[in-house]
């Protein structure tokens, strides 16, 4: 929550909507989430903002301690920005200029 609040504050305190947070196994399956999704651990959020673009969310998330950032240009992430607290960094929002040094596909297969 602190990271999300810091992100919101950095974006001028504009509202950010969390469209998905913690998911049970059955909910995760129902929405087509990855079997190793960070949503199952409660440390992931899918975000949208009426006043900020998805790219602005992804770009600013780099500065607030999110190890996982998936957004526009990454498969199935053109309508939200995903942030999480996975153990190692993986950033992929290619349409926004956000990428890990190693690039490639998400090793966790997260949605």
């Amino acid at each position: 929550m602190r990271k999300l609040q810091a992100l919101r504050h950095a974006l001028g305190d504009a509202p950010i909507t969390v469209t998905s947070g913690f998911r049970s196994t059955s909910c995760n399956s129902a929405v087509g989430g990855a079997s190793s999704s960070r949503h199952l651990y409660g440390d992931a959020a899918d975000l949208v903002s009426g006043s900020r673009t998805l790219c602005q969310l992804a770009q600013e998330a780099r500065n607030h301690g999110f190890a996982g950032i998936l957004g526009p240009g990454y498969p199935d992430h053109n309508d939200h920005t995903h942030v999480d607290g996975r153990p190692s960094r993986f950033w992929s929002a290619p349409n926004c200029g956000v990428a890990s040094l190693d690039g490639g596909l998400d090793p966790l297969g997260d949605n």
Side-chain angles (χ1 to χ4, degrees):
M1 286 302 258
R2 282 182 245 157
K3 291 178 186 179
L4 289 172
Q5 179 60 25
L7 173 62
R8 189 180 79 81
H9 184 68
L11 293 168
D13 292 317
I16 295 174
T17 301
V18 176
T19 59
S20 185
F22 173 79
R23 297 180 192 154
S24 66
T25 304
S26 60
C27 177
N28 193 58
S29 294
V31 300
S35 61
S36 59
S37 174
R38 296 307 302 178
H39 289 280
L40 296 168
Y41 299 93
D43 68 354
D46 293 340
L47 309 174
V48 297
S49 174
S51 63
R52 300 296 180 162
T53 68
L54 298 175
C55 284
Q56 287 172 316
L57 292 173
Q59 291 162 348
E60 191 59 43
R62 294 178 294 188
N63 302 320
H64 296 286
F66 294 103
I69 303 170
L70 304 174
Y74 190 79
D76 300 320
H77 288 76
N78 289 322
D79 62 350
H80 68 282
T81 294
H82 168 98
V83 295
D84 68 52
R86 67 186 62 208
S88 60
R89 188 168 84 180
F90 184 80
W91 296 347
S92 185
N95 294 357
C96 307
V98 175
S100 297
L101 295 176
D102 59 358
L105 293 177
D106 181 2
L108 297 180
D110 204 352
N111 291 337

